[in-house]
Amino acid sequence: MPGDPARYADGQNMGWQLIWFDDSDEQFRATFPISREQFIRIRDLHIFDNGDDEWCALSYTVTAEHWPQLIEVLACPPPEAGKSYYIEGYATDL
């Protein structure tokens, strides 16, 4: 994220989403928004190895083992075959 990284240090000025692509043509398909509260619950489950990227400012691959917790916390639809899923953080103050 450009600019002052302190703006994102506590997860403020950030948003998160579950995104997915079609495996056959790598085309972007859709997003599912994640609230700050939901993200904190996901983060606290330690299902992603995000190292020092506490607020997931980057993109993280969702694997089969992540889905039970994600469906419970996010109330998102289950994964579809032939799609690649990611949790992604982004700046909301640009």
Side-chain angles (χ1 to χ4, degrees):
M1 288 188 197
D4 178 12
R7 290 194 326 230
Y8 312 106
D10 63 357
Q12 299 300 319
N13 304 314
M14 288 192 66
W16 299 270
Q17 58 190 353
L18 174 66
I19 64 171
W20 54 98
F21 298 84
D22 194 319
D23 289 342
S24 65
D25 58 13
E26 298 182 359
Q27 291 292 313
F28 170 77
R29 292 298 176 216
T31 66
F32 187 88
I34 300 172
S35 71
R36 185 173 192 276
E37 293 75 22
Q38 289 171 319
F39 177 77
I40 289 170
R41 288 182 58 202
I42 292 168
R43 183 190 68 189
D44 289 349
L45 291 171
H46 304 288
I47 60 176
F48 295 99
D49 180 15
N50 55 346
D52 64 354
D53 183 18
E54 180 181 13
W55 292 99
C56 289
L58 304 173
S59 183
Y60 294 89
T61 302
V62 175
T63 64
E65 69 225 23
H66 298 136
W67 282 106
Q69 295 97 339
L70 291 179
I71 291 169
E72 179 181 331
V73 172
L74 302 180
C76 61
E80 296 178 33
K83 307 282 189 277
S84 295
Y85 293 84
Y86 303 87
I87 297 285
E88 182 173 82
Y90 58 91
T92 59
D93 65 341
L94 297 179

